[in-house]
Amino acid sequence: MQCELCGKECNCRPAIVDGVKMMLCPDCMRHGKGIDVVAKPTTSTKTILQRIKRPKEKDVYKDMNKELVANWNKLIKNAREKRGLSREELGFKIGERTVTISKIENGDLRPSDKVAEKLEKELDINLFEEVGGTPSGFCASHNRGGLTLGDFIKRED
Ligand SMILES: [Zn+2]
């Protein structure tokens, strides 16, 4: 291999010279900053791969531009009570079981897109909010108000 700085044939090693990666001979190595070839690249590649291969990727993509509002269960309950509907009546109207409505209103069950859309139409409410920008994965949804966490925690009234 040839040194990229002086052109000398040698056992060159990678180094950073003025921000540019070059192969340097031991003599020229003092001009640049040596790179630890073994440890560093392995770690960063692994981190990037982990980030890309998140299992949630598909869901995130699907819900890219809209997301259930944080207080969806209260919104549904309030709207239903305002209309003087019982859970049975609401369930009948949108073709869901009463127990499903109860679970949704308690926040125990997150309505599917389809059910949420039916509820929106029936109760004339907005259950989805537009999400600006591109979500960068798992952490982003946590930061946006704990919606993902909310799926696992029973909400208290
Ligand atoms: Zn050299």
Side-chain angles (χ1 to χ4, degrees):
M1 207 180 287
Q2 250 185 351
C3 170
E4 288 186 63
L5 216 60
C6 68
K8 196 164 82 180
E9 196 70 28
C10 66
N11 186 17
C12 297
R13 293 179 55 82
I16 302 288
V17 183
D18 288 332
V20 182
K21 192 182 166 189
M22 297 180 104
M23 298 303 284
L24 298 183
C25 68
D27 282 342
C28 295
M29 195 54 95
R30 62 196 155 89
H31 297 299
K33 205 177 167 196
I35 301 172
D36 188 351
V37 251
V38 189
K40 253 194 174 170
T42 321
T43 326
S44 52
T45 312
K46 212 173 158 190
T47 314
I48 292 165
L49 277 179
Q50 273 175 346
R51 227 171 262 173
I52 292 170
K53 292 201 169 177
R54 279 289 186 187
K56 277 254 168 184
E57 198 180 341
K58 218 176 168 184
D59 285 347
V60 167
Y61 187 74
K62 199 184 85 186
D63 295 330
M64 203 133 129
N65 294 318
K66 60 178 193 174
E67 191 171 88
L68 273 178
V69 293
N71 58 340
W72 47 268
N73 56 322
K74 291 206 173 97
L75 217 68
I76 294 165
K77 193 178 180 182
N78 289 343
R80 176 180 61 75
E81 285 171 350
K82 233 187 221 172
R83 273 153 204 270
L85 289 170
S86 68
R87 288 175 174 175
E88 287 83 0
E89 285 167 328
L90 178 60
F92 181 77
K93 276 174 182 285
I94 65 165
E96 295 294 330
R97 293 193 303 163
T98 311
V99 67
T100 309
I101 306 294
S102 303
K103 279 185 179 178
I104 290 173
E105 288 188 357
N106 287 333
D108 290 338
L109 178 77
R110 187 190 162 117
S112 65
D113 282 4
K114 220 175 158 185
V115 173
E117 274 166 28
K118 284 193 283 189
L119 285 166
E120 279 188 317
K121 261 190 205 158
E122 191 57 48
L123 298 172
D124 193 26
I125 50 176
N126 268 321
L127 289 176
F128 293 101
E129 59 185 356
E130 296 285 320
V131 177
T134 317
S136 51
F138 208 62
C139 289
S141 40
H142 275 238
N143 293 340
R144 266 201 310 270
L147 263 185
T148 314
L149 265 177
D151 289 340
F152 304 105
I153 299 169
K154 194 178 167 176
R155 282 167 192 274
E156 291 168 46
D157 272 304

